[in-house]
Amino acid sequence: MLDTFVIPLLQIAVLVNAVLVAVTFLVLMERKVMGWAQARLGPMRVGPYGILQAIVDPIKLILKEDITPAKADKWVFTLAPIMSLVPALVVFSVIPFGPDPLYYVADINVGLLFIISVTSIGVYGIILGGWSSNSKYPLLASLRASAQLISYEIAVVMTLVSVVLTAGTLNMIGIVEAQREAGLWFAFIQPVACVLVFIGGLAETNRLPFDLPEAETELTGGFHTEYSGMRWALFFLAEYANIIVISAIVALMFFGGWMRPFPNVEALSFLDLVPPWVWYCGKIFFFLYIFVWIRATFPRYRYDQLMALGWKVFIPIAIGNLVLTGIAKVVL
Amino acid sequence: MLDAYIPIFLFILVALGFAIFTLIVAGLVHPSRYSKVKLEPYECGIEPDTDARDRYSVRYYLVAMLFVIFDVETVFMFPWAVIMDELALFGLIEMLVFLFILVVGYVYAWRKGALEWT
């Protein structure tokens, strides 16, 4: 009873709160970094250096008026943000933040497959949100978004297969342990896969330079144009939670997860003083920063370029990488 | 074995509960000053004269169909990748044949123009 329900529930409570707080501060970090990149200061009014902005924003969103357009499909309109947010949070159940059971909620032998399947459900939230709004911009944006998500999913999933091939397991803890045994982060064994998964991750989370679904110059607000108040906030939470998920996956699969740098070198064992989950969160934070940095740096793609990149460049590279990995595995 | 999935079901319940709970709380505290114009679909200030659910480009269907084919084929690769150590050379040749068929289909789709977006 205690082991099956109470402890997991406590872990879940901590994890969900951590993700939600991380999202609010990620938004603040994004605004700050974008501000500095453009020679501005970013938010400065609320609290010292604008830190309390992260707390004020959610309160504002709860107090905002929440409109259901007259022509919208009422139930689906409410269901869509929920369907978007729930998968984005549930993925965290199989992400291990450290080696002992205290640091992960569930240890299943098909961890990676679970992550891929659950993150794919998020696309339903987007397409249902756009369709139920019964408005032109959201519908177009949701079609674009879903076409983009499924296009990049093929390349990303195929690339992940080649990582599974290197690791020999789908278990998330097993993948980290395989990196310890190999003595190298998979980023050095599978550099192509690492870059492909990260860029694919940018496309799957609708971030710049692939934020076509929200291209404000042509589609106003994207698939959530008609949303407001808390239902809009749920979409927003889901989007940023997905960014954290992608960062967590890249950090775990290619950069050693919770392990300190050079885990097999005895001389550096003083680095173990820093707990594993801090290492992991530090790595996640690094990739979150790159997400923001890319947003501040690159212009947006055109839609046909985006689809051509996904179908004509990424998929051949993914297949080639898979074949090479397979051959290397047998020959070596 | 299935015990490992109990925390995941708990997690789904908590996530659903959080989403519904916040919507209910927000529903209790947010103001509601409705007007007819506010409830109309947003079209940059112009009054909408046609329904939004109009016909749209067939390309989206094409992408969706290609996705189903390719994604199902990718799913077959996961079990293969996990037991590659035992299959060794036999597994590699099997998968090269499988991938070759996939690539033939891919090249066919490309040559037929299914991947063009114009």
Side-chain angles (χ1 to χ4, degrees), chain A residues 20 63-70 89 93 131 134-136 139 143 150 170 220 226 230 303 311-312 316 322 329-330, chain B residues 5 11 18 23 26 30-31 33-34 38-39 41-43 50 52-53 56 67 74 77-78 84-85 99 106 110 116-117:
Chain A
L20 296 175
L63 297 176
K64 280 279 179 185
E65 181 172 0
D66 196 348
I67 304 165
T68 310
L89 289 178
S93 60
W131 177 82
N134 206 350
S135 177
K136 278 161 197 152
L139 184 67
L143 285 171
I150 61 181
L170 282 167
T220 59
E226 295 290 345
M230 207 55 215
Y303 199 71
W311 284 97
K312 294 180 182 172
L322 184 62
K329 178 100 177 171
V330 171
Chain B
Y5 290 88
F11 208 125
F18 165 76
L23 283 182
H30 76 66
R33 285 181 287 272
Y34 291 132
K38 204 189 257 180
L39 298 182
Y42 178 78
E43 269 182 36
T50 52
R53 288 169 194 159
Y56 47 84
F67 166 74
T74 332
M77 292 176 196
F78 275 102
M84 186 63 183
D85 280 330
L99 272 176
Y106 175 71
W110 192 331
E116 309 296 328
W117 196 276

Short mmCIF file of all heavy atoms in Angstrom, two decimals, chain A residues 20 63-70 89 93 131 134-136 139 143 150 170 220 226 230 303 311-312 316 322 329-330, chain B residues 5 11 18 23 26 30-31 33-34 38-39 41-43 50 52-53 56 67 74 77-78 84-85 99 106 110 116-117:
data_model
loop_
_atom_site.label_atom_id
_atom_site.label_comp_id
_atom_site.label_asym_id
_atom_site.label_seq_id
_atom_site.Cartn_x
_atom_site.Cartn_y
_atom_site.Cartn_z
N LEU A 20 5.72 22.51 -13.13
CA LEU A 20 4.93 23.73 -13.31
C LEU A 20 5.72 24.97 -12.91
O LEU A 20 5.69 26.00 -13.61
CB LEU A 20 3.63 23.64 -12.51
CG LEU A 20 2.68 22.52 -12.97
CD1 LEU A 20 1.50 22.43 -12.05
CD2 LEU A 20 2.23 22.78 -14.39
N LEU A 63 -7.14 34.85 -13.32
CA LEU A 63 -8.16 35.89 -13.14
C LEU A 63 -8.69 36.45 -14.45
O LEU A 63 -9.59 37.27 -14.46
CB LEU A 63 -7.58 37.04 -12.30
CG LEU A 63 -7.18 36.65 -10.86
CD1 LEU A 63 -6.53 37.81 -10.17
CD2 LEU A 63 -8.39 36.17 -10.09
N LYS A 64 -8.12 36.00 -15.59
CA LYS A 64 -8.57 36.53 -16.88
C LYS A 64 -9.91 35.94 -17.29
O LYS A 64 -10.23 34.80 -16.97
CB LYS A 64 -7.53 36.20 -17.95
CG LYS A 64 -6.34 37.12 -17.94
CD LYS A 64 -6.65 38.40 -18.66
CE LYS A 64 -5.43 39.31 -18.60
NZ LYS A 64 -5.71 40.61 -19.18
N GLU A 65 -10.64 36.70 -18.09
CA GLU A 65 -11.90 36.20 -18.61
C GLU A 65 -11.62 35.08 -19.62
O GLU A 65 -10.68 35.14 -20.40
CB GLU A 65 -12.66 37.33 -19.31
CG GLU A 65 -14.00 36.88 -19.84
CD GLU A 65 -14.83 38.04 -20.36
OE1 GLU A 65 -14.35 39.18 -20.29
OE2 GLU A 65 -15.94 37.78 -20.83
N ASP A 66 -12.45 34.03 -19.56
CA ASP A 66 -12.26 32.85 -20.39
C ASP A 66 -13.45 32.75 -21.34
O ASP A 66 -14.57 32.45 -20.94
CB ASP A 66 -12.17 31.61 -19.50
CG ASP A 66 -11.59 30.43 -20.23
OD1 ASP A 66 -11.49 30.50 -21.46
OD2 ASP A 66 -11.27 29.44 -19.57
N ILE A 67 -13.20 33.04 -22.62
CA ILE A 67 -14.30 33.13 -23.59
C ILE A 67 -14.45 31.83 -24.37
O ILE A 67 -13.46 31.27 -24.83
CB ILE A 67 -14.04 34.28 -24.59
CG1 ILE A 67 -13.84 35.59 -23.85
CG2 ILE A 67 -15.18 34.39 -25.58
CD1 ILE A 67 -13.25 36.67 -24.70
N THR A 68 -15.68 31.36 -24.51
CA THR A 68 -15.97 30.29 -25.45
C THR A 68 -16.71 30.91 -26.62
O THR A 68 -17.82 31.41 -26.45
CB THR A 68 -16.87 29.21 -24.81
OG1 THR A 68 -16.31 28.84 -23.56
CG2 THR A 68 -16.96 28.01 -25.70
N PRO A 69 -16.12 30.92 -27.82
CA PRO A 69 -16.79 31.55 -28.95
C PRO A 69 -18.14 30.90 -29.23
O PRO A 69 -18.32 29.70 -28.99
CB PRO A 69 -15.83 31.31 -30.12
CG PRO A 69 -14.52 31.03 -29.50
CD PRO A 69 -14.80 30.40 -28.19
N ALA A 70 -19.08 31.69 -29.72
CA ALA A 70 -20.45 31.21 -29.90
C ALA A 70 -20.51 30.04 -30.87
O ALA A 70 -21.33 29.13 -30.70
CB ALA A 70 -21.32 32.36 -30.40
N LEU A 89 2.71 16.26 -19.23
CA LEU A 89 3.11 16.03 -17.84
C LEU A 89 3.41 14.56 -17.59
O LEU A 89 4.38 14.22 -16.90
CB LEU A 89 1.99 16.49 -16.89
CG LEU A 89 1.77 17.99 -16.76
CD1 LEU A 89 0.60 18.26 -15.83
CD2 LEU A 89 3.01 18.68 -16.24
N SER A 93 6.83 10.76 -15.89
CA SER A 93 6.78 9.61 -15.00
C SER A 93 7.89 8.61 -15.29
O SER A 93 8.31 7.88 -14.41
CB SER A 93 5.41 8.93 -15.09
OG SER A 93 5.19 8.51 -16.40
N TRP A 131 -9.75 22.78 -34.61
CA TRP A 131 -11.00 22.44 -35.31
C TRP A 131 -12.20 22.94 -34.52
O TRP A 131 -13.14 23.50 -35.08
CB TRP A 131 -11.08 20.92 -35.49
CG TRP A 131 -12.35 20.50 -36.13
CD1 TRP A 131 -12.63 20.51 -37.46
CD2 TRP A 131 -13.53 20.03 -35.46
NE1 TRP A 131 -13.91 20.08 -37.65
CE2 TRP A 131 -14.48 19.78 -36.45
CE3 TRP A 131 -13.85 19.81 -34.12
CZ2 TRP A 131 -15.74 19.30 -36.14
CZ3 TRP A 131 -15.11 19.34 -33.81
CH2 TRP A 131 -16.03 19.08 -34.81
N ASN A 134 -13.70 26.64 -34.67
CA ASN A 134 -14.55 27.02 -35.81
C ASN A 134 -14.22 28.42 -36.29
O ASN A 134 -15.09 29.26 -36.48
CB ASN A 134 -16.03 26.91 -35.43
CG ASN A 134 -16.89 26.67 -36.65
OD1 ASN A 134 -16.39 26.77 -37.77
ND2 ASN A 134 -18.13 26.35 -36.44
N SER A 135 -12.95 28.66 -36.47
CA SER A 135 -12.47 29.94 -36.93
C SER A 135 -11.35 29.64 -37.91
O SER A 135 -10.71 28.60 -37.81
CB SER A 135 -11.97 30.74 -35.73
OG SER A 135 -11.43 31.97 -36.14
N LYS A 136 -11.10 30.54 -38.87
CA LYS A 136 -10.22 30.16 -39.98
C LYS A 136 -8.76 30.03 -39.59
O LYS A 136 -8.11 29.05 -39.93
CB LYS A 136 -10.37 31.17 -41.11
CG LYS A 136 -11.60 30.85 -41.95
CD LYS A 136 -12.05 32.00 -42.76
CE LYS A 136 -13.47 31.77 -43.23
NZ LYS A 136 -14.20 33.01 -43.45
N LEU A 139 -7.92 26.89 -37.50
CA LEU A 139 -8.03 25.65 -38.26
C LEU A 139 -6.81 25.45 -39.15
O LEU A 139 -6.20 24.38 -39.16
CB LEU A 139 -9.31 25.67 -39.11
CG LEU A 139 -9.56 24.37 -39.87
CD1 LEU A 139 -9.87 23.25 -38.90
CD2 LEU A 139 -10.70 24.52 -40.85
N LEU A 143 -3.89 22.49 -38.74
CA LEU A 143 -3.51 21.58 -39.82
C LEU A 143 -2.01 21.63 -40.06
O LEU A 143 -1.35 20.60 -40.15
CB LEU A 143 -4.24 21.95 -41.11
CG LEU A 143 -5.71 21.59 -41.15
CD1 LEU A 143 -6.36 22.21 -42.36
CD2 LEU A 143 -5.87 20.09 -41.20
N ILE A 150 3.88 15.44 -37.32
CA ILE A 150 4.00 14.05 -37.74
C ILE A 150 5.15 13.88 -38.73
O ILE A 150 5.79 12.85 -38.76
CB ILE A 150 2.67 13.48 -38.29
CG1 ILE A 150 2.18 14.24 -39.51
CG2 ILE A 150 1.62 13.46 -37.23
CD1 ILE A 150 0.88 13.73 -40.04
N LEU A 170 15.53 -0.32 -24.20
CA LEU A 170 14.58 0.80 -24.27
C LEU A 170 14.38 1.44 -22.90
O LEU A 170 13.69 2.45 -22.78
CB LEU A 170 13.22 0.30 -24.78
CG LEU A 170 13.10 0.05 -26.28
CD1 LEU A 170 11.83 -0.72 -26.57
CD2 LEU A 170 13.07 1.36 -27.03
N THR A 220 -2.13 35.12 -37.04
CA THR A 220 -2.43 35.76 -35.75
C THR A 220 -1.85 34.95 -34.59
O THR A 220 -0.67 34.97 -34.39
CB THR A 220 -3.93 36.04 -35.57
OG1 THR A 220 -4.65 34.83 -35.66
CG2 THR A 220 -4.42 37.01 -36.60
N GLU A 226 -8.43 31.53 -30.64
CA GLU A 226 -9.73 31.76 -30.00
C GLU A 226 -9.69 31.49 -28.50
O GLU A 226 -10.68 31.69 -27.81
CB GLU A 226 -10.79 30.87 -30.63
CG GLU A 226 -11.09 31.18 -32.09
CD GLU A 226 -11.80 32.50 -32.26
OE1 GLU A 226 -12.31 33.04 -31.26
OE2 GLU A 226 -11.83 32.99 -33.39
N MET A 230 -7.73 30.62 -18.67
CA MET A 230 -7.06 29.42 -18.15
C MET A 230 -6.90 28.35 -19.22
O MET A 230 -5.92 27.61 -19.21
CB MET A 230 -7.87 28.86 -16.98
CG MET A 230 -7.02 28.08 -16.00
SD MET A 230 -5.62 29.04 -15.40
CE MET A 230 -4.40 27.78 -15.24
N TYR A 303 6.98 27.49 -45.06
CA TYR A 303 6.37 26.20 -44.79
C TYR A 303 6.85 25.10 -45.73
O TYR A 303 7.10 23.98 -45.30
CB TYR A 303 4.84 26.29 -44.84
CG TYR A 303 4.21 25.13 -44.14
CD1 TYR A 303 4.28 25.03 -42.75
CD2 TYR A 303 3.62 24.10 -44.84
CE1 TYR A 303 3.76 23.95 -42.09
CE2 TYR A 303 3.09 23.01 -44.17
CZ TYR A 303 3.17 22.95 -42.80
OH TYR A 303 2.66 21.87 -42.14
N TRP A 311 11.12 15.94 -44.80
CA TRP A 311 10.91 14.72 -45.59
C TRP A 311 12.12 14.38 -46.46
O TRP A 311 12.40 13.21 -46.68
CB TRP A 311 9.68 14.86 -46.49
CG TRP A 311 8.40 14.71 -45.75
CD1 TRP A 311 7.63 15.72 -45.26
CD2 TRP A 311 7.75 13.49 -45.38
NE1 TRP A 311 6.54 15.19 -44.62
CE2 TRP A 311 6.60 13.83 -44.69
CE3 TRP A 311 8.06 12.14 -45.59
CZ2 TRP A 311 5.73 12.87 -44.18
CZ3 TRP A 311 7.19 11.19 -45.09
CH2 TRP A 311 6.04 11.57 -44.38
N LYS A 312 12.79 15.40 -46.99
CA LYS A 312 13.83 15.11 -47.98
C LYS A 312 15.24 15.14 -47.41
O LYS A 312 16.17 14.68 -48.06
CB LYS A 312 13.76 16.13 -49.13
CG LYS A 312 12.49 15.99 -49.92
CD LYS A 312 12.47 17.01 -51.02
CE LYS A 312 11.19 16.93 -51.80
NZ LYS A 312 11.10 18.04 -52.76
N PRO A 316 16.18 10.76 -45.06
CA PRO A 316 17.34 10.04 -45.60
C PRO A 316 18.51 9.96 -44.63
O PRO A 316 19.13 8.90 -44.49
CB PRO A 316 17.73 10.87 -46.83
CG PRO A 316 16.50 11.58 -47.22
CD PRO A 316 15.75 11.83 -45.96
N LEU A 322 20.82 4.93 -39.37
CA LEU A 322 20.37 3.64 -38.83
C LEU A 322 21.14 2.49 -39.46
O LEU A 322 21.62 1.59 -38.76
CB LEU A 322 18.87 3.51 -39.10
CG LEU A 322 18.18 2.27 -38.53
CD1 LEU A 322 18.27 2.27 -37.03
CD2 LEU A 322 16.73 2.23 -38.98
N LYS A 329 27.48 -2.04 -35.52
CA LYS A 329 27.19 -2.92 -34.38
C LYS A 329 27.61 -4.35 -34.67
O LYS A 329 28.12 -5.04 -33.80
CB LYS A 329 25.68 -2.84 -34.11
CG LYS A 329 25.20 -3.71 -33.00
CD LYS A 329 25.01 -2.91 -31.74
CE LYS A 329 24.44 -3.79 -30.65
NZ LYS A 329 24.43 -3.10 -29.36
N VAL A 330 27.38 -4.82 -35.92
CA VAL A 330 27.71 -6.20 -36.26
C VAL A 330 29.23 -6.36 -36.47
O VAL A 330 29.83 -7.31 -36.00
CB VAL A 330 26.93 -6.65 -37.52
CG1 VAL A 330 27.43 -8.00 -38.01
CG2 VAL A 330 25.46 -6.72 -37.19
N TYR B 5 3.41 -0.15 -13.81
CA TYR B 5 2.57 0.83 -14.51
C TYR B 5 1.58 1.54 -13.59
O TYR B 5 0.95 2.50 -14.00
CB TYR B 5 1.81 0.15 -15.66
CG TYR B 5 2.73 -0.24 -16.79
CD1 TYR B 5 3.38 -1.46 -16.80
CD2 TYR B 5 2.98 0.64 -17.83
CE1 TYR B 5 4.24 -1.81 -17.81
CE2 TYR B 5 3.84 0.30 -18.85
CZ TYR B 5 4.47 -0.93 -18.83
OH TYR B 5 5.32 -1.25 -19.84
N PHE B 11 -0.20 8.91 -12.15
CA PHE B 11 0.28 10.17 -12.73
C PHE B 11 -0.76 10.74 -13.69
O PHE B 11 -1.05 11.95 -13.68
CB PHE B 11 1.60 9.93 -13.46
CG PHE B 11 2.49 11.13 -13.51
CD1 PHE B 11 3.80 11.07 -13.05
CD2 PHE B 11 2.03 12.34 -14.00
CE1 PHE B 11 4.62 12.17 -13.09
CE2 PHE B 11 2.85 13.45 -14.05
CZ PHE B 11 4.14 13.36 -13.59
N PHE B 18 -5.31 17.87 -12.06
CA PHE B 18 -4.76 19.23 -12.03
C PHE B 18 -5.42 20.10 -13.10
O PHE B 18 -5.85 21.22 -12.83
CB PHE B 18 -3.24 19.19 -12.26
CG PHE B 18 -2.65 20.53 -12.60
CD1 PHE B 18 -2.47 21.48 -11.62
CD2 PHE B 18 -2.34 20.85 -13.91
CE1 PHE B 18 -1.97 22.72 -11.92
CE2 PHE B 18 -1.83 22.10 -14.23
CZ PHE B 18 -1.65 23.04 -13.23
N LEU B 23 -9.14 24.50 -14.17
CA LEU B 23 -10.21 25.08 -14.99
C LEU B 23 -11.40 25.45 -14.12
O LEU B 23 -12.02 26.51 -14.30
CB LEU B 23 -10.64 24.09 -16.08
CG LEU B 23 -9.70 23.97 -17.27
CD1 LEU B 23 -10.26 23.01 -18.29
CD2 LEU B 23 -9.49 25.34 -17.91
N ALA B 26 -10.47 28.52 -11.95
CA ALA B 26 -10.46 29.72 -12.78
C ALA B 26 -11.89 30.11 -13.16
O ALA B 26 -12.24 31.28 -13.22
CB ALA B 26 -9.61 29.49 -14.03
N HIS B 30 -12.90 33.98 -12.48
CA HIS B 30 -12.72 34.94 -13.58
C HIS B 30 -13.99 35.72 -13.86
O HIS B 30 -15.09 35.23 -13.62
CB HIS B 30 -12.18 34.23 -14.83
CG HIS B 30 -13.19 33.44 -15.59
ND1 HIS B 30 -14.26 34.00 -16.23
CD2 HIS B 30 -13.28 32.12 -15.84
CE1 HIS B 30 -14.96 33.08 -16.83
NE2 HIS B 30 -14.39 31.91 -16.60
N PRO B 31 -13.85 36.95 -14.33
CA PRO B 31 -15.03 37.76 -14.65
C PRO B 31 -15.68 37.26 -15.93
O PRO B 31 -15.04 36.59 -16.73
CB PRO B 31 -14.45 39.15 -14.85
CG PRO B 31 -13.07 38.89 -15.36
CD PRO B 31 -12.60 37.64 -14.69
N ARG B 33 -18.01 39.13 -18.70
CA ARG B 33 -18.81 40.22 -19.26
C ARG B 33 -18.94 39.95 -20.76
O ARG B 33 -18.13 40.39 -21.55
CB ARG B 33 -18.14 41.56 -19.01
CG ARG B 33 -18.28 42.02 -17.58
CD ARG B 33 -17.63 43.35 -17.35
NE ARG B 33 -16.17 43.24 -17.35
CZ ARG B 33 -15.47 42.96 -16.25
NH1 ARG B 33 -16.06 42.77 -15.09
NH2 ARG B 33 -14.16 42.86 -16.32
N TYR B 34 -19.95 39.14 -21.09
CA TYR B 34 -20.06 38.70 -22.48
C TYR B 34 -20.80 39.72 -23.32
O TYR B 34 -21.68 40.42 -22.85
CB TYR B 34 -20.79 37.35 -22.55
CG TYR B 34 -20.00 36.23 -21.97
CD1 TYR B 34 -20.56 35.34 -21.07
CD2 TYR B 34 -18.66 36.06 -22.32
CE1 TYR B 34 -19.82 34.30 -20.54
CE2 TYR B 34 -17.91 35.02 -21.81
CZ TYR B 34 -18.50 34.15 -20.91
OH TYR B 34 -17.77 33.13 -20.39
N LYS B 38 -17.93 39.85 -28.94
CA LYS B 38 -16.79 39.17 -28.34
C LYS B 38 -16.80 37.68 -28.66
O LYS B 38 -15.76 37.05 -28.73
CB LYS B 38 -16.87 39.37 -26.82
CG LYS B 38 -15.53 39.25 -26.12
CD LYS B 38 -15.74 39.25 -24.64
CE LYS B 38 -15.41 40.58 -24.00
NZ LYS B 38 -15.63 40.56 -22.56
N LEU B 39 -17.99 37.13 -28.87
CA LEU B 39 -18.09 35.69 -29.08
C LEU B 39 -17.94 35.30 -30.54
O LEU B 39 -18.02 34.12 -30.88
CB LEU B 39 -19.43 35.18 -28.55
CG LEU B 39 -19.64 35.36 -27.05
CD1 LEU B 39 -20.96 34.78 -26.62
CD2 LEU B 39 -18.51 34.72 -26.26
N PRO B 41 -16.01 34.57 -34.14
CA PRO B 41 -14.66 34.12 -34.49
C PRO B 41 -13.77 35.31 -34.85
O PRO B 41 -14.24 36.29 -35.44
CB PRO B 41 -14.86 33.23 -35.71
CG PRO B 41 -16.29 32.89 -35.71
CD PRO B 41 -17.02 33.99 -35.01
N TYR B 42 -12.49 35.21 -34.48
CA TYR B 42 -11.56 36.32 -34.72
C TYR B 42 -11.09 36.32 -36.16
O TYR B 42 -10.53 35.34 -36.64
CB TYR B 42 -10.37 36.18 -33.78
CG TYR B 42 -9.34 37.26 -33.98
CD1 TYR B 42 -9.54 38.53 -33.47
CD2 TYR B 42 -8.19 37.01 -34.71
CE1 TYR B 42 -8.62 39.53 -33.66
CE2 TYR B 42 -7.25 38.01 -34.91
CZ TYR B 42 -7.47 39.26 -34.38
OH TYR B 42 -6.55 40.25 -34.58
N GLU B 43 -11.36 37.40 -36.87
CA GLU B 43 -10.83 37.52 -38.22
C GLU B 43 -10.28 38.92 -38.45
O GLU B 43 -10.60 39.59 -39.44
CB GLU B 43 -11.89 37.16 -39.28
CG GLU B 43 -11.82 35.69 -39.62
CD GLU B 43 -12.80 35.26 -40.68
OE1 GLU B 43 -13.05 36.05 -41.60
OE2 GLU B 43 -13.32 34.15 -40.56
N THR B 50 -18.22 33.43 -44.20
CA THR B 50 -18.32 32.01 -44.56
C THR B 50 -17.94 31.18 -43.35
O THR B 50 -17.31 31.67 -42.42
CB THR B 50 -17.37 31.65 -45.72
OG1 THR B 50 -16.06 32.10 -45.38
CG2 THR B 50 -17.82 32.28 -47.02
N ALA B 52 -15.90 28.46 -41.19
CA ALA B 52 -14.46 28.20 -41.15
C ALA B 52 -14.13 26.81 -41.69
O ALA B 52 -13.08 26.60 -42.26
CB ALA B 52 -13.95 28.35 -39.73
N ARG B 53 -15.05 25.86 -41.48
CA ARG B 53 -14.71 24.47 -41.84
C ARG B 53 -14.93 24.25 -43.33
O ARG B 53 -15.80 23.53 -43.77
CB ARG B 53 -15.53 23.49 -41.01
CG ARG B 53 -15.04 23.51 -39.58
CD ARG B 53 -15.94 22.78 -38.65
NE ARG B 53 -15.58 23.11 -37.26
CZ ARG B 53 -16.38 22.96 -36.25
NH1 ARG B 53 -17.59 22.49 -36.42
NH2 ARG B 53 -15.99 23.28 -35.04
N TYR B 56 -9.87 22.20 -47.47
CA TYR B 56 -8.48 22.62 -47.39
C TYR B 56 -7.61 21.68 -48.20
O TYR B 56 -8.07 20.64 -48.66
CB TYR B 56 -8.01 22.75 -45.95
CG TYR B 56 -8.36 21.61 -45.06
CD1 TYR B 56 -7.56 20.47 -45.02
CD2 TYR B 56 -9.50 21.65 -44.25
CE1 TYR B 56 -7.89 19.42 -44.22
CE2 TYR B 56 -9.82 20.58 -43.44
CZ TYR B 56 -9.02 19.47 -43.44
OH TYR B 56 -9.34 18.42 -42.64
N PHE B 67 2.69 9.41 -43.23
CA PHE B 67 3.11 9.26 -41.84
C PHE B 67 2.72 7.89 -41.30
O PHE B 67 3.53 7.21 -40.68
CB PHE B 67 2.48 10.36 -40.99
CG PHE B 67 2.57 10.11 -39.51
CD1 PHE B 67 3.76 10.25 -38.85
CD2 PHE B 67 1.46 9.71 -38.79
CE1 PHE B 67 3.86 10.02 -37.50
CE2 PHE B 67 1.55 9.47 -37.43
CZ PHE B 67 2.76 9.63 -36.79
N THR B 74 8.51 2.10 -38.58
CA THR B 74 9.50 2.41 -37.54
C THR B 74 9.23 1.60 -36.28
O THR B 74 10.17 1.18 -35.60
CB THR B 74 9.46 3.90 -37.19
OG1 THR B 74 9.02 4.62 -38.31
CG2 THR B 74 10.81 4.39 -36.78
N MET B 77 10.94 -1.58 -35.97
CA MET B 77 12.39 -1.57 -35.78
C MET B 77 12.77 -1.62 -34.30
O MET B 77 13.88 -2.01 -33.98
CB MET B 77 12.98 -0.31 -36.39
CG MET B 77 12.89 -0.29 -37.89
SD MET B 77 13.49 1.27 -38.48
CE MET B 77 12.84 1.24 -40.14
N PHE B 78 11.86 -1.22 -33.41
CA PHE B 78 12.24 -1.18 -31.99
C PHE B 78 12.61 -2.55 -31.43
O PHE B 78 13.69 -2.70 -30.86
CB PHE B 78 11.14 -0.50 -31.17
CG PHE B 78 11.27 0.99 -31.15
CD1 PHE B 78 10.46 1.77 -31.95
CD2 PHE B 78 12.21 1.60 -30.36
CE1 PHE B 78 10.60 3.14 -31.95
CE2 PHE B 78 12.35 2.97 -30.36
CZ PHE B 78 11.55 3.74 -31.16
N MET B 84 19.31 -6.86 -31.09
CA MET B 84 20.32 -6.93 -32.15
C MET B 84 21.55 -7.73 -31.73
O MET B 84 22.16 -8.41 -32.55
CB MET B 84 20.73 -5.50 -32.52
CG MET B 84 21.65 -5.40 -33.70
SD MET B 84 20.89 -6.00 -35.20
CE MET B 84 22.27 -5.82 -36.31
N ASP B 85 21.90 -7.68 -30.42
CA ASP B 85 23.08 -8.41 -29.95
C ASP B 85 22.97 -9.90 -30.23
O ASP B 85 23.95 -10.56 -30.57
CB ASP B 85 23.25 -8.20 -28.44
CG ASP B 85 23.91 -6.86 -28.17
OD1 ASP B 85 24.69 -6.43 -29.03
OD2 ASP B 85 23.61 -6.25 -27.12
N LEU B 99 14.53 -2.41 -44.73
CA LEU B 99 14.77 -0.99 -45.00
C LEU B 99 14.80 -0.72 -46.50
O LEU B 99 14.35 0.33 -46.96
CB LEU B 99 16.09 -0.55 -44.38
CG LEU B 99 16.02 -0.08 -42.93
CD1 LEU B 99 17.40 0.22 -42.41
CD2 LEU B 99 15.15 1.15 -42.81
N TYR B 106 9.75 4.97 -50.42
CA TYR B 106 10.08 6.37 -50.18
C TYR B 106 10.49 7.05 -51.48
O TYR B 106 10.02 8.15 -51.80
CB TYR B 106 11.21 6.43 -49.14
CG TYR B 106 11.77 7.78 -48.86
CD1 TYR B 106 11.02 8.73 -48.17
CD2 TYR B 106 13.05 8.12 -49.28
CE1 TYR B 106 11.54 9.97 -47.90
CE2 TYR B 106 13.56 9.36 -49.02
CZ TYR B 106 12.81 10.28 -48.34
OH TYR B 106 13.34 11.51 -48.09
N TRP B 110 8.67 10.07 -53.52
CA TRP B 110 9.41 11.29 -53.87
C TRP B 110 9.27 11.56 -55.38
O TRP B 110 8.96 12.68 -55.80
CB TRP B 110 10.88 11.12 -53.49
CG TRP B 110 11.69 12.37 -53.54
CD1 TRP B 110 11.48 13.46 -54.35
CD2 TRP B 110 12.84 12.68 -52.75
NE1 TRP B 110 12.43 14.41 -54.11
CE2 TRP B 110 13.28 13.97 -53.14
CE3 TRP B 110 13.55 11.99 -51.77
CZ2 TRP B 110 14.40 14.56 -52.56
CZ3 TRP B 110 14.65 12.60 -51.21
CH2 TRP B 110 15.07 13.87 -51.60
N GLU B 116 6.47 17.03 -52.47
CA GLU B 116 6.53 18.45 -52.85
C GLU B 116 5.41 19.20 -52.17
O GLU B 116 4.31 18.68 -52.01
CB GLU B 116 6.38 18.60 -54.37
CG GLU B 116 7.32 17.74 -55.20
CD GLU B 116 8.77 18.08 -55.01
OE1 GLU B 116 9.07 19.27 -54.77
OE2 GLU B 116 9.61 17.17 -55.10
N TRP B 117 5.68 20.43 -51.79
CA TRP B 117 4.66 21.22 -51.10
C TRP B 117 4.38 22.50 -51.87
O TRP B 117 4.52 23.59 -51.37
CB TRP B 117 5.10 21.52 -49.67
CG TRP B 117 3.96 21.97 -48.82
CD1 TRP B 117 3.45 23.23 -48.70
CD2 TRP B 117 3.16 21.15 -47.97
NE1 TRP B 117 2.39 23.24 -47.85
CE2 TRP B 117 2.18 21.99 -47.39
CE3 TRP B 117 3.15 19.80 -47.67
CZ2 TRP B 117 1.23 21.50 -46.51
CZ3 TRP B 117 2.21 19.34 -46.78
CH2 TRP B 117 1.26 20.19 -46.21
#
